[in-house]
Amino acid sequence: MFKKWKTEKDAPGSKGSGASSGAGSHAAGGASAAAVSLSGAPDAVGKSAANGSAGLAAGGATAGGASNGAGATKMVAAAANGKELQRKLDLNKIYQDDDYDESLEYKVINKDNPELPYGDGSDKIFGMENYGYTCYINSIMQALYHTGELRKAILEYPPRDAAHPRKRKLRVKGEKPRGFVAAVQAQAGVRAPVNAPKNDAPLGNPIKKPGSKVRNMFSHGSDEASRKGGSDRKSMNSSYSSTLNESQRSGSSGVADSGSDSAGGGYPPEDMELERTTVARYPLFKALGVRFYLNQQSNVTVVGATKNPADTSEQRKRHALTHGPIINLDVSFSAQYGMRPSVFTSVKDAFEAMAENSAKKGVLSAYYLLDMVKKKNANFRGAMHQDAHELLNFVVNSVIETVGEDVRARGAPTGGDAGAGASAHAADAIGAMFSGILTSETKCLTCENVSTRDERFLDLSIDLQPNTSLTNCLRMFSHSEMLSGSNKFFCETCHSLQEASKTIKLKKVPKILALHLKRFKYSEKLGRMVKLFYRVEYTKTIRIFNTTDDAEASDKLYELYAIVVHIGGGPYHGHYVSMVRTPKFGWLLFDDETVESIDESFVFRFFGDGPGLSTAYLLFYHEVADPDNYEKRRVFNGLDDDEDTENFNHQPPGAPGVDGSDNHSTISTASSGKSKLRSRLGFNFMKL
């Protein structure tokens, strides 16, 4: 992560090698040259030292062996030295900030939308660092980032000033160096530069980072030391590790690469059939540089791939952190937006840093966002397991309120003020995505007068029943409730307390329907909150039927696109992961720093009665714009193999798919049971 710096030493390998013709002198010469490279030598010198150290050592040992037997011992020691120095050189190269094309800083890559000149971020995949207890933030942020309409609205607000364009966030290096960078460099013997790089963009208030849990991830030995980060991982890891046999847990835990070289020093061979099937549907996988081989969970690793397929999830997380690239977002860019630092500006910073990054994939370290959430809401300040549903409400509410206040502060839109009009439109668009209206209808059973009361909502909290479905839970949500006895209703017509029936219906349904499955309930018998493992089946599509007669749109069709899963036995500990369907990459599993490509069938395994502790907690459904066309495309077309189906569904380039994505995503795989994609369902870390 540091820029290359110059050294006063002269690094040519000949300086050390020319001192003596013996084995020890040659070995020392190679080691000296490599050490100079580690202290900051230019690339050419570094390569010379790296390539020459082992050779000089071997050559010297041969010459020395001709004169006495001690040369063989020196040769072994020198070869080991050379291998260790090569490892350190590789580590040093990871954190050197290579030059990039500065012409990209203002280059417009999206000419169709002047508000998004640097792209909309739909082609980027980034994991998010877990600071030991922040998986609830990571899971919600991934679901929100991959909600296309929301991401677009946040990136577009406030409107850009065409006369004063801002730099693209090609790289965000932060105000302070990453904690694990210092840890890795200390082990590798890398000397930090005197002048650490600063962000070249206007900054807000830089913050002081605490000791990151990742420092424990670089100690040699078992993975137990790397799992001390926080209580939210312990539950998942203990159950996870119990399902693995000894051979699966035997992956190495090196510093430079958490995976062992199981394939002759390189990565395992790719599954060509798996690659062909996946790339045929989602061509942009090629741009990510993904290697198509199955990891320990029988999924394809997108971020955090190691050389050993048997490496555990924690080893892949460590690999993702050590190899990056890392977006070190510990500062605020709110000054660029003409706004004060807030939850909205922090979310916008994170979205822009990922959408505009020069890399297609990597890891986001959003510490400033974490700090802002804690600052604005005291409930999230403790280093304890938090509720992802509470965070979702807080973030969405904060975004809507901040944008609304900023629109009012900038002034009401006028006929000639296009910028103010665009701002007001953006505020309305963000608010309308999640916001709906509930109507409480109370009917007096004496006079039959009906009184109504409207209430806005951002998500629906659904009570659960054993062995049921999501549709039935929604039906029970609008089930009539009798108000009698001590709970009688005061009728304005009768002017007295009367028995009544109360029904809750939807008067306005939002574009994004977020459903909260109330898994946590207070147990009077135990005197504490417990987790409900009721089986609740959810489907790919649902129709909202419990609407009022005067609803704006009744019987709407929604499609599932994101799930937040809670892993754990109770509300006070556990782990959150999210699964999101992206238009350009299909279903992805986001587990903090790592990202994996998963099959769609894998998503429907968290109904609540499985063998482990994994249950769906939050469901995100997106309104289907064209339900008639959507239903037609779901009907079986009568073709029996992938090739015929692909030819049948072929469209001209640029033809839109069902969800507005490229046409490749609409290619059906009718015989996918024969495909290697289905083989990825055999084992997964949430099948505990």
Side-chain angles (χ1 to χ4, degrees):
M1 304 285 288
F2 297 114
K3 289 187 176 180
K4 302 172 184 177
W5 64 95
K6 295 183 179 180
T7 178
E8 296 178 358
K9 297 181 180 180
D10 295 324
S14 59
K15 185 174 182 178
S17 60
S20 172
S21 60
S25 300
H26 280 285
S32 174
V36 172
S37 175
L38 284 173
S39 66
D43 276 346
V45 177
K47 289 181 180 178
S48 173
N51 296 331
S53 57
L56 287 171
T62 302
S67 58
N68 54 65
T73 303
K74 293 180 179 180
M75 177 185 69
V76 174
N81 250 357
K83 186 175 182 180
E84 177 66 13
L85 289 171
Q86 179 62 51
R87 184 185 71 85
K88 293 181 178 180
L89 281 168
D90 293 340
L91 260 181
N92 187 43
K93 185 177 181 181
I94 291 173
Y95 294 107
Q96 287 181 348
D97 187 17
D98 297 329
D99 295 331
Y100 63 90
D101 188 358
E102 295 183 358
S103 64
L104 296 176
E105 292 179 346
Y106 293 97
K107 183 178 180 180
V108 175
I109 63 175
N110 182 18
K111 298 180 180 179
D112 297 332
N113 188 350
E115 297 298 329
L116 296 174
Y118 307 134
D120 63 356
S122 60
D123 59 338
K124 302 299 179 67
I125 299 179
F126 281 83
M128 293 186 67
E129 181 181 358
N130 188 336
Y131 286 91
Y133 54 92
T134 60
C135 59
Y136 68 103
I137 293 182
N138 297 347
S139 60
I140 294 299
M141 284 297 296
Q142 294 289 9
L144 294 180
Y145 178 82
H146 292 283
T147 301
E149 296 91 337
L150 179 65
R151 181 182 68 247
K152 181 174 178 291
I154 290 178
L155 291 176
E156 289 181 343
Y157 187 86
R160 298 179 183 272
D161 182 5
H164 301 87
R166 65 161 179 81
K167 274 187 178 182
R168 175 183 172 184
K169 292 183 176 65
L170 287 168
R171 296 183 185 179
V172 179
K173 294 169 286 188
E175 180 71 12
K176 294 183 179 294
R178 297 291 304 124
F180 66 84
V181 174
V184 173
Q185 290 180 333
Q187 287 200 13
V190 182
R191 181 167 61 88
V194 177
N195 298 319
K198 299 287 185 179
N199 229 322
D200 54 4
L203 305 180
N205 300 321
I207 56 179
K208 183 178 181 180
K209 293 184 182 178
S212 176
K213 56 93 187 171
V214 295
R215 293 179 181 175
N216 294 326
M217 300 175 70
F218 301 101
S219 58
H220 293 280
S222 67
D223 281 340
E224 188 62 30
S226 69
R227 292 198 289 263
K228 301 295 185 181
S231 60
D232 63 338
R233 286 195 178 193
K234 290 180 181 178
S235 174
M236 183 270 291
N237 286 323
S238 60
S239 300
Y240 173 30
S241 60
S242 66
T243 65
L244 308 179
N245 55 42
E246 287 301 319
S247 63
Q248 289 173 319
R249 291 201 297 265
S250 62
S252 64
S253 57
V255 179
D257 192 342
S258 60
S260 59
D261 296 348
S262 62
Y267 287 88
E270 292 192 72
D271 188 327
M272 302 306 294
E273 182 182 351
L274 177 62
E275 178 183 5
R276 178 188 65 82
T277 307
T278 306
V279 174
R281 300 185 68 190
Y282 306 106
L284 287 186
F285 265 114
K286 276 293 187 181
L288 293 178
V290 175
R291 296 187 61 86
F292 289 91
Y293 63 92
L294 302 182
N295 59 26
Q296 187 191 45
Q297 287 75 49
S298 298
N299 297 325
V300 175
T301 305
V302 179
V303 178
T306 64
K307 295 181 179 180
N308 188 353
D311 279 344
T312 65
S313 176
E314 285 301 303
Q315 288 171 320
R316 293 196 297 273
K317 294 175 190 293
R318 179 166 56 240
H319 185 275
L321 283 171
T322 55
H323 285 67
I326 304 291
I327 300 176
N328 187 19
L329 192 58
D330 62 355
V331 293
S332 174
F333 294 91
S334 59
Q336 292 183 348
Y337 322 133
M339 303 172 68
R340 291 180 298 179
S342 63
V343 173
F344 167 76
T345 60
S346 301
V347 172
K348 182 176 174 64
D349 288 344
F351 283 12
E352 285 193 350
M354 290 188 285
E356 301 176 7
N357 198 273
S358 57
K360 293 289 185 181
K361 61 179 181 177
V363 178
L364 170 68
S365 178
Y367 189 78
Y368 196 92
L369 173 62
L370 169 64
D371 184 74
M372 184 58 64
V373 168
K374 290 182 177 181
K375 181 179 179 181
K376 297 295 184 180
N377 193 324
N379 294 331
F380 301 113
R381 290 176 188 171
M384 298 174 61
H385 188 61
Q386 303 291 343
D387 192 340
H389 172 242
E390 293 181 5
L391 180 78
L392 173 65
N393 269 277
F394 172 67
V395 171
V396 175
N397 266 309
S398 299
V399 168
I400 294 174
E401 291 175 3
T402 301
V403 173
E405 292 173 359
D406 189 69
V407 169
R408 290 189 292 271
R410 294 174 186 266
T414 61
D417 192 348
S423 299
H425 176 73
D428 294 339
I430 294 176
M433 288 177 197
F434 289 88
S435 180
I437 299 178
L438 284 175
T439 295
S440 175
E441 298 180 350
T442 306
K443 181 179 180 180
C444 177
L445 298 182
T446 301
C447 66
E448 296 188 351
N449 179 58
V450 178
S451 60
T452 61
R453 181 171 60 90
D454 293 344
E455 181 181 355
R456 290 193 172 271
F457 70 91
L458 294 177
D459 63 78
L460 295 180
S461 292
I462 309 297
D463 289 310
L464 307 183
Q465 300 292 330
N467 299 319
T468 186
S469 65
L470 180 62
T471 303
N472 186 60
C473 290
L474 288 172
R475 183 177 291 109
M476 295 300 296
F477 180 81
S478 296
H479 184 71
S480 295
E481 175 188 3
M482 290 300 299
L483 304 179
S484 60
S486 60
N487 196 30
K488 285 184 178 181
F489 169 72
F490 184 85
C491 179
E492 296 291 345
T493 303
C494 299
H495 303 288
S496 61
L497 294 174
Q498 300 291 338
E499 291 185 343
S501 63
K502 181 180 178 180
T503 305
I504 298 178
K505 294 185 178 181
L506 301 177
K507 186 176 182 178
K508 178 183 177 183
V509 288
K511 292 183 177 180
I512 305 298
L513 182 62
L515 301 177
H516 166 225
L517 304 184
K518 298 170 71 172
R519 289 283 181 187
F520 306 124
K521 182 180 180 181
Y522 182 79
S523 172
E524 294 183 359
K525 182 179 180 180
L526 299 176
R528 58 181 174 84
M529 298 289 290
V530 297
K531 182 177 179 180
L532 303 178
F533 287 92
Y534 296 156
R535 177 181 176 86
V536 179
E537 296 185 1
Y538 49 87
T539 55
K540 183 177 181 180
T541 59
I542 59 172
R543 284 193 180 273
I544 302 301
F545 52 85
N546 47 346
T547 56
T548 60
D549 296 335
D550 59 343
E552 295 182 2
S554 60
D555 200 30
K556 269 193 177 182
L557 180 65
Y558 285 84
E559 181 183 18
L560 180 69
Y561 78 93
I563 301 179
V564 173
V565 174
H566 180 265
I567 310 170
Y572 306 111
H573 58 85
H575 184 56
Y576 288 104
V577 299
S578 58
M579 294 175 288
V580 186
R581 180 184 180 275
T582 61
K584 296 183 178 179
F585 302 103
W587 281 97
L588 298 174
L589 167 65
F590 295 91
D591 182 8
D592 292 331
E593 296 88 354
T594 59
V595 184
E596 300 177 15
S597 173
I598 59 176
D599 188 86
E600 186 178 273
S601 299
F602 174 80
V603 176
F604 301 96
R605 293 190 166 204
F606 309 101
F607 294 154
D609 63 342
L613 304 176
S614 306
T615 58
Y617 186 53
L618 295 171
L619 302 174
F620 295 83
Y621 282 86
H622 185 281
E623 176 188 358
V624 177
D626 188 0
D628 293 335
N629 186 50
Y630 179 82
E631 292 292 351
K632 289 179 181 178
R633 301 187 73 87
R634 292 184 64 195
V635 175
F636 177 58
N637 57 28
L639 303 178
D640 295 328
D641 55 44
D642 291 343
E643 184 177 358
D644 288 344
T645 302
E646 181 175 350
N647 294 334
F648 179 83
N649 285 334
H650 177 71
Q651 298 180 8
V658 176
D659 50 9
S661 61
D662 56 272
N663 61 295
H664 298 279
S665 63
T666 65
I667 298 176
S668 173
T669 53
S671 61
S672 55
K674 303 176 183 179
S675 170
K676 286 294 181 67
L677 281 174
R678 299 304 183 191
S679 69
R680 289 153 55 183
L681 303 178
F683 180 82
N684 57 74
F685 77 88
M686 280 177 277
K687 185 180 178 183
L688 306 177

